[in-house]
Structures are given as structure tokens and as C-alpha cells.
Amino acid sequence: MANRLADSTSPYLLQHANNPVEWWPWGEEAFAEARRRDVPILLSVGYSTCYWCHVMERESFENPAIGRLLSDLFVCIKVDREERPDVDDLYMQATLAMRGQGGWPMTCFLEPAELRPFWCGTYFPPEPRGGMPGVPQIAQSISAAWTEHRAEVMQQAAEIAASVAERLRTGPEPKVLSAKAVADAVGMFLKMFDRQHGGFGRAPKFPQTVFLDLLLDARELVGAETRDAVDLALKLSLDKMAIGGIFDQVGGGFHRYSVDAHWTVPHFEKMLYDSALLAMVYAKAAKTYDDLYYRQIVTRTLDFMIREMAQEGGGFSSALDAEVNHREGLNYLWTADEVRSILTGEAGVIAMRAYGLDEGPNFQDPHHSGEAPKRVLRLDERPDRLAARLGVTPEQLATVLGGANVALLRERSKRKQPHLDDKVIAAWNGLAMGAMAAGFALTGEERFLAAGLRAARFVTGEMMSASGEILRSWRGGQATTRGFLEDYAFVTWGLLELAAAGGDATVKLVGAAEALASTARDLFRDQNSGAFFDTRDHQADLFVRPRSTHDGALPSAGSVHLHNLLTLAERTGNDDYAHEAIGLLK
């Protein structure tokens, strides 16, 4: 029997609609039920293309005995983090404060009066394993603590909530944006830079597009010696990602991150925002270094977005799943025999050598160790350097790989495809608009500008309320969830990037951007300090009004909106935008 999630539009919530857990959607009705029963809230946060979310569902949430136990002891709430980034950020901060690390699925227990968390974690198995407690043991211990040690539980909830409030309300001390501040930031990134494999830090390794973007901007502001170090970090990182398995060599676009330090084996889900942000970084680098290979990465990434993520109405879907048939990356993996049957002749031999198929497999599914290993396709070097080793010219190798990719993609499309999360997120579509504008500016390809304009028309049409406010999520003809600062900032930014590309729509795009900036001012700006918050004031379902100032997988909404206001000041000549931007720095 379906639970209360059956009426949702979120693909993630619908995935759990037939669980034996009595799930509730986030909202006052669920809070009131927990207060009536005097039980804690079990909050489970994830998203539809999350691999470990699928695992925890299969192991625990689809287990009837565990489902009954959780429903008896708690009011169980499911949240799609992509629809409610405010809820996700709030409780992720609590998880980080309590555990030192976070991730999804996120598992939190809340006291029902003020929704403050008192115990947090991420994935847990159905029984004790690898040093982790099992879900039933956690549930019974939490319930016992609530019943027998209520005062201590409430004290812990108060302390965690205070810690989260401190993190989200205060932020870092303001600094003068001087040449020294820029140099310090550049120096910090260069210390983190992996000189062997590119990127920053150790495995698992994320693209860190915000770092790369800052280095591209800052290289003109530093001395010659530092600029050489910056160029090394940028080129090595961009090269290694482009040739690695994190880039889909056959179909284009980027996977979410690499599980190893050398970019070979990705975590296979594909997020719209990753490909959009990376396309913009590669476009900027292609111009900076006059690099044809980076230009090709941009083109192939944007073509992937149009081919596999653009919807008929113009909006872009959110993500592609990491797994097929409970096997991570199955759609993207190959054996030498499979490829040999598709690519024939001398060109086939060259392509197989280029993709390392003569070296054997490089991927063994850790969850299905009895299955035969396969290969994630990758290059050992940039094609312009690899060609000589293969005994061909760069032009010949480009032709060979182009033909091989077409043939392999045609064959791959016959396989069972990963699940597509087809909800349209306003903020992420703003990034897609910017990526398409960057692609058009780089290549002059009209299809990129057209795709960006279609997305802009969709968001400013289908995803706007009658009062002119952005609705964050759209699916199946229904737009839901009032937008956050992130939605206003990213969509405004996308509109301004499209306007900068030129054309007949420029004036209309700038006008739409001004309207959104005005609405954002009304909804998110503190009238006393001038600071912008991530959420509206007086939200009863948040125990603190968050104001995030850090960049993560996505840039900070505040920093993006700061750029928007400065761009609007320059384009319109209205200094009020510049004065408004100052409030974002407070």
C-alpha cells in the first residue's frame, strides 16, 4: 500500500512511496503528528540519483520488519534535498558538526517541538557491519534515550542547534578584497594542488570548479612566477579530467566525481550542474590558452546536455542515475570483446589502443566482486600528444576517435539506460543557460544559444507564480516549492550571460533579470543590515534562517548574486545595484 509520498512530484519521494515505512513529506502535518504522539522525527534526506540512497532503501526501507519498527517509534519524514536545499543545508551542518563528515542519505533524529536535531549520521546498514551500527539498533537506542533521558536529549538538541546557528548566521569575518587577499587564496589552492594527477586534495576527488574558475580569473593579477604555477595547476587539472573516466569519453559530459586520485573510475551519476559548471570553466580556459582540445570538451559537454537532459519544453532535467540493474556504472562499462565487435579495421585497432582496451580492465564493482571486471574508457594523454605514440597525426586520431564514439554511443543507447531525474530545478537551469551562452560565445554555434534561450523562456514562463516569484521545481506540468536565493541568483545570472551573448532578446533578458533582482531584494534582504539570506524570513519549519557564504559543489548563492548586482549596475548605469551589492559583503 502506498504511503503519504504517493502524491509527490519529486522522483525521489515517489521512489519511496511504496516502502513499508509510513513516510510523511516535510511539513506541518507531520510535525503536528510527532508532537501529538510525543515521539522524535526520523528525517531521511537524499535524492533520486544517489547510489547509497538506493542501497539503504533496498536494505532497510524496503524491509517490512524495519519499516514497522521505524514507523512505530518515530514519525518518519522524507526530503528531496534538491527540492528543499534549505532543509538539507541546515541538517547537513548539524551532521558535520556532530560527525565531522556528511553525505547522503542523511539520517537525522529531531525533537518535534522546534525541529532541532539531536543525533545525526548518513548511511547505515540493516545490521551492524564494518564498525557501523544497524538501523534497528540505532532506532531502539534513540527511542530509549527519548523515553528515559529526555532532558539530556533536549540539551544535546539545544547545543547542536546553537552550533548550527553560529555557523550559518555569523560566517567569516569580513576582509578587504586586496591584492594580498587574492594572493593568499591563490597560494592556498596551489598548496592543495596535486602535482601528479591534477585537481585538489586526495581521493575521492571532485572537480572543484569554483577553485579552477578563481585561478583563471586571478592569473592576471599575480606575478609572473606565480602565474606559471597557476597555469601548471590549471592545465594539468583540466587535461587530466578531460582524458580521464570522469569525462564520458563516448557520450560527453562529466560524472560527479572520481573515486580515485587519477580521475579514472568515476562515481557514475551525472548532475546537470556539474556539466554546466565545467563547460563554463573549459570555455574560459579555451579562450585563455587558445586550446582546441578544451573547446572540444565544451562542445561535447553541451551536446550531451542538449541530447540527454533537455526536455521538449526547453527546461533541462536534473540528473542521470549512477546505476543500472543495481550495478553502478553498468551502462558506461566495456569489455575488449564488446568494443572489438563494434570497431573494426585499422581505425578500430587505433581506437582500442587509445582507450587502453589492450591494457585490460580497470573497474571491479566492489559490491559484486564475483562479476567479471570491465573497463572505464579513458585516454592516457591528450589526443594531440597521444597521436604520435599511436603512429598517427593528431587530425587522424581525432577522426578515428570521433567515428569510434559515434559507433559506441549508438551501441550504448541500445542498453538499458540509467534513470533520468526529470524534474527541472530553476537554479540549475540558470547554470545551464550560462553554459550555453559560454558555448555560443566560444564557438559561434547557434544551437547552444537557442538551447539557452529555450531554457530561459521555460523558467521565466512555466516556473513563475502569478505574483512573479520563481518556483524551484517543475515536473509533469506542475511547478512547486517557492524559490530560494539560489534560484533567483542563478537564474538572474543565466539571463545576464545570455544577454551578453547579444541578439534581439538582449533587452528583454536584462529586463527579466532586473525583475528577479527586485523580487530577490524583497524576499531575502535584511532591511537593517542589507545582508541577503538563503531563505525567506519567518519560515516556521527552520530553526535558524541560514546564510551560507561558502562555495561547495555549487557556488554560493550570495556570491553569484553579488556578481549579478555589479553586472546590472554596469549594464543599466543604476548605482543602486552597486550599493545593494555592498550589503552582501556584510
Side-chain angles (χ1 to χ4, degrees):
M1 180 182 295
N3 56 45
R4 293 174 182 83
L5 303 182
D7 295 329
S8 304
T9 58
S10 159
Y12 176 65
L13 299 188
L14 290 172
Q15 286 172 0
H16 293 268
N18 291 298
N19 291 167
V21 181
E22 294 180 16
W23 291 116
W24 297 66
W26 180 266
E28 186 55 40
E29 188 179 0
F31 310 151
E33 177 66 7
R35 292 162 190 157
R36 184 189 69 80
R37 289 176 53 192
D38 190 28
V39 295
I41 291 170
L42 165 57
L43 173 64
S44 179
V45 183
Y47 56 105
S48 76
T49 59
C50 166
Y51 177 78
W52 284 102
C53 298
H54 298 329
V55 173
M56 191 165 178
E57 179 187 18
R58 287 194 292 267
E59 291 180 340
S60 295
F61 300 146
E62 291 181 351
N63 182 305
I66 293 178
R68 283 193 301 272
L69 178 67
L70 296 178
S71 303
D72 288 344
L73 298 180
F74 313 107
V75 167
C76 304
I77 297 179
K78 266 287 176 192
V79 167
D80 182 338
R81 68 174 295 261
E82 296 170 354
E83 287 196 336
R84 291 299 304 264
D86 55 336
V87 174
D88 176 64
D89 190 30
L90 205 59
Y91 293 101
M92 185 58 72
Q93 291 296 331
T95 302
L96 291 170
M98 189 170 188
R99 298 284 173 186
Q101 60 183 15
W104 299 276
M106 178 166 56
T107 306
C108 297
F109 291 90
L110 325 180
E111 53 83 14
E114 299 180 48
L115 309 179
R116 298 172 301 180
F118 60 86
W119 196 92
C120 304
T122 53
Y123 161 83
F124 293 101
E127 65 281 318
R129 183 197 307 157
M132 289 187 291
V135 171
Q137 288 75 26
I138 293 171
Q140 289 161 348
S141 297
I142 293 292
S143 180
W146 177 257
T147 302
E148 301 166 13
H149 305 284
R150 181 76 60 92
E152 291 92 330
V153 167
M154 296 302 286
Q155 179 63 30
Q156 179 151 310
E159 292 173 358
I160 293 174
S163 174
V164 171
E166 182 70 17
R167 288 179 180 222
L168 292 180
R169 277 182 176 157
T170 57
E173 284 295 317
K175 294 182 179 180
V176 177
L177 188 57
S178 61
K180 181 180 184 304
V182 174
D184 289 345
V186 169
M188 179 182 68
F189 292 146
L190 292 179
K191 287 179 182 177
M192 297 167 60
F193 168 57
D194 181 342
R195 293 179 173 272
Q196 182 176 3
H197 302 296
F200 304 91
R202 302 177 180 177
K205 189 171 281 185
F206 289 79
Q208 304 286 13
T209 52
V210 176
F211 294 2
L212 296 169
D213 192 54
L214 185 144
L215 290 176
L216 279 164
D217 286 340
R219 64 182 298 277
E220 297 298 330
L221 305 175
V222 297
E225 184 176 345
T226 302
R227 186 180 306 140
D228 288 343
V230 168
D231 287 342
L232 172 64
L234 283 166
K235 290 181 180 180
L236 185 63
S237 298
L238 294 169
D239 286 353
K240 292 293 188 179
M241 286 192 294
I243 68 175
I246 192 173
F247 181 71
D248 180 358
Q249 301 293 335
V250 169
F254 287 86
H255 299 289
R256 187 158 168 253
Y257 64 86
S258 174
V259 302
D260 51 55
H262 41 84
W263 308 105
T264 296
V265 176
H267 180 52
F268 289 93
E269 65 187 316
K270 283 182 166 182
M271 313 300 293
L272 175 65
Y273 61 76
D274 283 322
S275 285
L277 288 168
L278 282 163
M280 287 185 271
V281 166
Y282 276 93
K284 186 182 288 188
K287 287 184 177 180
T288 300
Y289 299 116
D290 191 22
D291 193 297
L292 178 60
Y293 184 45
Y294 296 163
R295 177 180 170 134
Q296 293 169 349
I297 296 298
V298 174
T299 299
R300 297 194 64 208
T301 298
L302 297 182
D303 281 340
F304 151 73
M305 290 168 58
I306 293 171
R307 183 184 68 245
E308 298 191 32
M309 305 198 83
Q311 299 189 17
E312 186 175 346
F316 287 88
S317 297
S318 297
L320 283 164
D321 211 323
E323 67 173 25
V324 174
N325 291 339
H326 302 174
R327 303 298 191 271
E328 189 168 7
L330 185 62
N331 191 61
Y332 302 101
L333 300 170
W334 301 89
T335 66
D337 288 341
E338 286 174 333
V339 175
R340 194 176 292 113
S341 68
I342 301 165
L343 306 180
T344 59
E346 183 179 356
V349 172
I350 294 171
M352 289 190 66
R353 288 177 59 199
Y355 282 138
L357 285 153
D358 56 338
E359 300 172 6
N362 58 12
F363 177 82
Q364 174 68 63
D365 189 334
H367 311 293
H368 303 91
S369 57
E371 298 181 357
K374 294 188 177 183
R375 186 162 186 90
V376 178
L377 299 189
R378 63 158 296 150
L379 303 170
D380 283 339
E381 297 180 82
R382 287 172 50 118
D384 49 1
R385 298 170 189 158
L386 181 61
R389 207 171 81 191
L390 297 176
V392 296
T393 66
E395 294 75 17
Q396 288 172 325
L397 182 57
T399 300
V400 165
L401 291 179
N405 291 335
V406 169
L408 291 172
L409 183 60
R410 185 187 305 117
E411 184 65 27
R412 195 174 81 182
S413 67
K414 299 174 185 177
R415 300 174 175 178
K416 183 177 179 181
Q417 299 301 300
H419 158 71
L420 174 70
D421 185 328
D422 60 354
K423 71 177 180 294
V424 178
I425 297 292
W428 302 2
N429 273 255
L431 296 177
M433 293 177 215
M436 293 297 163
F440 171 71
L442 178 67
T443 68
E445 296 284 351
E446 292 285 346
R447 68 182 185 277
F448 298 144
L449 180 60
L453 291 172
R454 284 196 301 272
R457 285 193 293 270
F458 184 87
V459 173
T460 57
E462 299 296 324
M463 302 185 71
M464 300 292 289
S465 72
S467 61
E469 294 185 19
I470 290 178
L471 297 171
R472 178 172 175 82
S473 180
W474 180 97
R475 184 172 184 266
Q478 184 177 354
T480 59
T481 309
R482 298 170 77 187
F484 304 94
L485 177 61
E486 177 182 279
D487 298 294
Y488 285 84
F490 291 4
V491 172
T492 300
W493 181 80
L495 293 172
L496 291 173
E497 291 297 297
L498 287 169
D504 297 337
T506 296
V507 173
K508 187 175 181 180
L509 290 165
V510 173
E514 285 198 273
L516 290 181
S518 176
T519 305
R521 180 190 310 119
D522 294 339
L523 295 176
F524 305 108
R525 189 185 189 199
D526 181 82
Q527 297 305 313
N528 296 319
S529 68
F532 278 72
F533 287 83
D534 297 336
T535 62
R536 300 155 197 262
D537 202 3
H538 305 302
Q539 275 192 228
D541 59 349
L542 301 178
F543 62 84
V544 64
R545 189 184 187 191
R547 184 186 180 216
S548 302
T549 57
H550 66 278
D551 296 318
L554 295 172
S556 161
S559 66
V560 172
H561 197 51
L562 173 63
H563 283 281
N564 292 339
L565 295 171
L566 295 177
T567 301
L568 284 169
E570 183 178 359
R571 289 195 69 104
T572 66
N574 186 346
D575 289 341
D576 288 346
Y577 288 119
H579 294 308
E580 191 176 337
I582 294 172
L584 277 160
L585 299 175
K586 292 181 179 178

